[in-house]
Amino acid sequence: MQDTYGTVLAQVGNPTPEAPPGSEKILQLVRYLTWFVLLSGICGITYAGGKFAWERWTGGGLESPKMVAGAMIGGVVATSAGTIMSAVIG
């Protein structure tokens, strides 16, 4: 009797994940948000680059290199979020 249960439990496989009904709308929203994050990163780097040029031309204080660095770090985190989650989840 005990051997039969061990055989049955050993035959249970690892189930493959399946998306729930209606998940396509959520995935579409995630794709839109990803697009918006990338667009805002590009706009941030463009704005900071223009401000950096203006500060160099007028001789003002240099605050924009911090903005460029922040936008670039944010872009790296935003684009690698999927890879990081895949590594964490398995």
Side-chain angles (χ1 to χ4, degrees):
M1 185 85 164
Q2 195 175 31
D3 189 43
T4 305
Y5 290 125
T7 304
V8 172
L9 289 176
Q11 293 175 356
V12 175
N14 189 9
T16 58
E18 182 179 333
S23 64
E24 183 58 37
K25 295 291 184 184
I26 294 171
L27 291 175
Q28 185 177 13
L29 178 64
V30 169
R31 287 192 292 269
Y32 286 164
L33 290 174
T34 303
W35 181 84
F36 181 72
V37 166
L38 293 175
L39 178 66
S40 61
I42 291 169
C43 291
I45 289 174
T46 304
Y47 173 75
K51 186 172 180 181
F52 180 67
W54 181 257
E55 289 172 352
R56 294 286 291 179
W57 189 52
T58 60
L62 294 178
E63 298 174 9
S64 55
K66 296 176 193 173
M67 293 172 64
V68 172
M72 293 179 84
I73 291 170
V76 167
V77 170
T79 55
S80 63
T83 306
I84 292 170
M85 287 305 295
S86 294
V88 169
I89 292 174

